[in-house]
Amino acid sequence: MRSADLFRARFGGAPDGVWLAPGRANLMGEHTDYNDGYVLPFALGQNIAAAAARRTGRRLALCSRQQPTAAVEIALDGLAPGQVTGWAAYPAGVAWELEQAGYQVPGARIAIDSDVPAGAGLSSSAALECATALALTELAGLAVSRPELAAIARRAENEFVGVPSGIMDQSASLLCQPGHALLLDCRSLESSQVPFDPAAAGAGLLLINTRAKHDLSDGEYGRRRAECEEAARRLGIPSLRSLTNLADVDRLTDPVLRRRARHVVADNQRVLDVVGLLSSPSAAVADTYHDIGRLLTQAHLSLRDDFEVSWPEADATVEAALAAGAFGARMIGGGFGGSVLALVPAAFGGPVRDAVTGAFAQRSWTAPEFLDAAPSASAHRVALQLVRLRPTGGSSAGA
Ligand code: GLA
């Protein structure tokens, strides 16, 4: 069922519009966003769809195809953090933060559908926030810039839901362009589009959902964040972004803090290195992807050994993908579960899938899920008459 059909079935009548917001993968720069560093995400073709219509009165009604409960009713007046829990806290938080920022949110009915796998480290939560934010502001005719909307959606997650995430995921969902990765400087919030079209160069991007569920609210993510802040405090700098020389990390006497800082400094540099490679590709384009792949694998080892956020299924996936001919592979997102991104020569997509599937079967793990990842469009409104039901296993949301 599409979100527009769900809307009709649950609320009666047609929605005023349907808004899509994509999940994201991150090419490079992990756990760098909340350290004021660089990130290089791209939008996925998988989206959250929000079919929405204005209603009279200051209430939101929310339902989701992935949450087969009755619609959740939320009063906008008197809304405060802690009042709404579970999945509805994300859209409710967006409404609350919009009002905190001085925007009057209209009463609305919203039906949600998704083809972004939840708990796979692909930012389904940020996509839900961004789809809601765009729907509510466009329904109300409010002019809010995309960077401001990303900041509002992030605050919804930090302050209303209570997850201390950075700005990468919401920025990716709202700012990315097809065929590009987004270089975001998380200190200045300046961004630029970096051409990134592996398919045109005979390479492929494979996302492998390891099915180990990832949850940012379990405490480990917040602990890493606190460790980075402590490292910066001990070094007497505002954030780890201020370190550009790996040798400076050695001034930290605590071995754990030293490892955390080393990852952040090295990953910031890797973002700039990947941008350099993409911006002036070598004449033999395969060499460019070979070099990017090497950086991906280095980043994985850094996340595994220095930042200690990898998990067994991710390590086995990276190992099997490399053995089967991938240019490189790494875990993406916050860690402790979720997905791996592999950069592969186009002809090796099949062998890499087979090798990873085999590695999982050998260990009696639940079979992984494979998704093709193509750098796609940011959040946008879709014309209702163009909305089509996506066949199962396809790559754009049933809007
Ligand atoms: C999660 C957070 C992001 C970012 C990544 C790690 O996806 O939501 O802000 O910190 O983890 O890079």
Side-chain angles (χ1 to χ4, degrees), residues 8 40 64 68 84 100 114 123 125 143 166 198 210 271 282 299 308 329 334 348 385 393 397:
R8 286 187 194 92
L40 191 62
S64 161
V84 186
Q100 295 297 303
S114 171
S123 290
S125 313
T210 67
V271 172
S282 129
E308 296 179 280
F348 285 60
Q385 62 273 26

Short mmCIF file of all heavy atoms in Angstrom, two decimals, residues 8 40 64 68 84 100 114 123 125 143 166 198 210 271 282 299 308 329 334 348 385 393 397:
data_model
loop_
_atom_site.label_atom_id
_atom_site.label_comp_id
_atom_site.label_asym_id
_atom_site.label_seq_id
_atom_site.Cartn_x
_atom_site.Cartn_y
_atom_site.Cartn_z
N ARG A 8 -5.90 7.50 2.55
CA ARG A 8 -7.33 7.38 2.23
C ARG A 8 -7.99 6.35 3.15
O ARG A 8 -9.08 6.55 3.67
CB ARG A 8 -7.53 6.96 0.77
CG ARG A 8 -7.25 8.09 -0.20
CD ARG A 8 -7.62 7.71 -1.65
NE ARG A 8 -7.04 8.68 -2.54
CZ ARG A 8 -5.84 8.57 -3.12
NH1 ARG A 8 -5.12 7.47 -2.93
NH2 ARG A 8 -5.37 9.52 -3.88
N LEU A 40 30.77 13.14 4.04
CA LEU A 40 30.57 13.05 2.59
C LEU A 40 29.46 12.03 2.27
O LEU A 40 29.69 11.01 1.63
CB LEU A 40 31.90 12.64 1.93
CG LEU A 40 32.00 12.74 0.41
CD1 LEU A 40 31.82 14.17 -0.07
CD2 LEU A 40 33.36 12.19 -0.05
N SER A 64 1.32 4.98 10.32
CA SER A 64 2.42 4.47 9.52
C SER A 64 2.12 3.05 9.09
O SER A 64 1.62 2.24 9.88
CB SER A 64 3.70 4.49 10.36
OG SER A 64 4.66 3.63 9.81
N PRO A 68 1.45 -0.96 12.57
CA PRO A 68 0.03 -1.22 12.36
C PRO A 68 -0.81 -0.98 13.62
O PRO A 68 -1.58 -1.84 14.04
CB PRO A 68 0.01 -2.68 11.93
CG PRO A 68 1.23 -3.27 12.52
CD PRO A 68 2.24 -2.18 12.73
N VAL A 84 5.45 12.22 23.89
CA VAL A 84 5.21 11.24 22.81
C VAL A 84 6.41 10.31 22.76
O VAL A 84 7.55 10.76 22.78
CB VAL A 84 5.05 11.96 21.45
CG1 VAL A 84 4.65 10.96 20.36
CG2 VAL A 84 4.03 13.08 21.55
N GLN A 100 9.15 25.94 18.22
CA GLN A 100 10.20 26.58 19.03
C GLN A 100 10.96 27.61 18.21
O GLN A 100 11.42 28.62 18.71
CB GLN A 100 11.21 25.53 19.53
CG GLN A 100 10.65 24.50 20.48
CD GLN A 100 10.15 25.11 21.78
OE1 GLN A 100 10.90 25.77 22.48
NE2 GLN A 100 8.88 24.92 22.06
N SER A 114 7.38 3.57 4.03
CA SER A 114 8.85 3.59 3.94
C SER A 114 9.39 2.40 3.19
O SER A 114 8.86 1.29 3.31
CB SER A 114 9.43 3.58 5.36
OG SER A 114 10.84 3.39 5.32
N SER A 123 19.59 5.74 8.24
CA SER A 123 18.93 7.00 8.61
C SER A 123 17.45 7.06 8.30
O SER A 123 16.94 8.08 7.81
CB SER A 123 19.61 8.19 7.93
OG SER A 123 20.86 8.37 8.47
N SER A 125 15.29 7.26 10.54
CA SER A 125 14.72 8.25 11.50
C SER A 125 14.86 9.66 10.95
O SER A 125 13.91 10.44 10.99
CB SER A 125 15.45 8.20 12.84
OG SER A 125 15.59 6.90 13.28
N ALA A 143 8.22 29.47 4.30
CA ALA A 143 9.50 29.42 3.58
C ALA A 143 10.61 29.18 4.60
O ALA A 143 10.95 30.07 5.37
CB ALA A 143 9.73 30.73 2.84
N GLY A 166 24.48 13.84 15.35
CA GLY A 166 25.01 15.03 14.69
C GLY A 166 24.09 15.49 13.56
O GLY A 166 22.94 15.05 13.47
N PRO A 198 29.62 6.42 -9.72
CA PRO A 198 30.43 5.22 -9.95
C PRO A 198 29.96 4.41 -11.15
O PRO A 198 30.79 3.86 -11.88
CB PRO A 198 30.28 4.42 -8.66
CG PRO A 198 29.54 5.27 -7.69
CD PRO A 198 28.99 6.45 -8.39
N THR A 210 23.55 -5.84 7.37
CA THR A 210 24.01 -7.06 8.08
C THR A 210 22.93 -7.64 8.98
O THR A 210 23.11 -8.70 9.57
CB THR A 210 25.25 -6.77 8.93
OG1 THR A 210 24.88 -5.89 10.00
CG2 THR A 210 26.37 -6.14 8.13
N VAL A 271 38.10 12.16 4.24
CA VAL A 271 37.03 12.85 3.48
C VAL A 271 37.67 13.75 2.43
O VAL A 271 37.30 13.72 1.25
CB VAL A 271 36.13 13.68 4.42
CG1 VAL A 271 35.17 14.54 3.60
CG2 VAL A 271 35.34 12.78 5.37
N SER A 282 41.67 10.32 -11.97
CA SER A 282 42.82 9.92 -12.78
C SER A 282 42.33 9.54 -14.18
O SER A 282 41.17 9.18 -14.38
CB SER A 282 43.49 8.75 -12.07
OG SER A 282 43.69 7.69 -12.91
N ALA A 299 39.27 3.22 6.52
CA ALA A 299 38.30 3.80 7.45
C ALA A 299 37.64 2.71 8.28
O ALA A 299 37.39 2.88 9.48
CB ALA A 299 37.25 4.60 6.69
N GLU A 308 36.27 1.66 17.76
CA GLU A 308 35.61 0.49 18.37
C GLU A 308 34.09 0.56 18.31
O GLU A 308 33.40 0.45 19.33
CB GLU A 308 36.10 0.30 19.81
CG GLU A 308 37.60 -0.02 19.84
CD GLU A 308 38.16 -0.18 21.24
OE1 GLU A 308 38.43 0.84 21.91
OE2 GLU A 308 38.31 -1.33 21.67
N ALA A 329 35.59 -1.56 1.29
CA ALA A 329 34.31 -1.66 1.98
C ALA A 329 34.47 -1.17 3.41
O ALA A 329 35.57 -1.26 3.97
CB ALA A 329 33.80 -3.10 1.98
N GLY A 334 26.43 5.01 12.69
CA GLY A 334 26.88 5.08 14.07
C GLY A 334 27.61 3.84 14.55
O GLY A 334 28.45 3.90 15.43
N PHE A 348 31.94 -7.36 -10.52
CA PHE A 348 32.15 -8.16 -9.31
C PHE A 348 30.97 -8.11 -8.34
O PHE A 348 31.04 -8.67 -7.25
CB PHE A 348 33.43 -7.69 -8.59
CG PHE A 348 34.69 -8.14 -9.26
CD1 PHE A 348 34.98 -7.77 -10.56
CD2 PHE A 348 35.60 -8.95 -8.61
CE1 PHE A 348 36.13 -8.17 -11.20
CE2 PHE A 348 36.77 -9.38 -9.23
CZ PHE A 348 37.03 -8.98 -10.53
N GLN A 385 -0.55 12.39 -9.05
CA GLN A 385 -0.92 11.53 -10.18
C GLN A 385 0.25 10.70 -10.70
O GLN A 385 0.07 9.73 -11.41
CB GLN A 385 -1.58 12.33 -11.32
CG GLN A 385 -0.71 13.38 -11.96
CD GLN A 385 -0.79 14.72 -11.22
OE1 GLN A 385 -1.08 14.75 -10.03
NE2 GLN A 385 -0.53 15.82 -11.90
N GLY A 393 11.07 -4.97 -3.53
CA GLY A 393 12.47 -5.15 -3.91
C GLY A 393 12.97 -4.05 -4.83
O GLY A 393 14.13 -4.03 -5.20
N ALA A 397 10.40 4.67 -2.97
CA ALA A 397 9.34 4.41 -1.99
C ALA A 397 7.99 4.34 -2.65
O ALA A 397 7.71 5.06 -3.59
CB ALA A 397 9.33 5.49 -0.94
#
